[in-house]
Amino acid sequence: MEISVYQALLESGAAQQAARMTAMDAATTNASDMIERLTLYMNRVRQASITKEIIEVVSGAAVVD
C-alpha cells in the first residue's frame, strides 16, 4: 500500500513538471511570435516616417525650382 501511494506521488510530481514545461514552451513560442509582429509593425512605422520625410524634401525642392 505504501509503495502505491509513493508511486502515485512520484507520478503526480512528474505530471506537474511536464505541465510546467509545456506551459513554458507555449509562453516562449507566443513571446517569439509577438516579438516578430511588433518588429514588423515598428519597421513599417519607421518606413512610413522615412517616406513622409522624403516626400517633404522632394516637395520643398520642387517649390524652389
Side-chain angles (χ1 to χ4, degrees):
M1 184 66 160
E2 289 179 26
I3 292 174
S4 294
V5 171
Y6 182 68
Q7 182 179 2
L9 289 173
L10 289 177
E11 287 177 4
S12 173
Q16 185 179 19
Q17 290 298 329
R20 286 181 183 172
M21 287 176 59
T22 302
M24 290 303 295
D25 183 53
T28 300
T29 301
N30 290 339
S32 296
D33 290 345
M34 183 180 290
I35 288 169
E36 250 182 67
R37 285 186 307 226
L38 288 174
T39 300
L40 183 60
Y41 174 75
M42 291 302 296
N43 286 341
R44 286 181 179 165
V45 169
R46 183 176 54 84
Q47 184 62 43
S49 174
I50 291 168
T51 302
K52 180 182 174 187
E53 287 182 28
I54 290 172
I55 290 171
E56 290 173 356
V57 168
V58 170
S59 296
V63 169
V64 171
D65 286 343

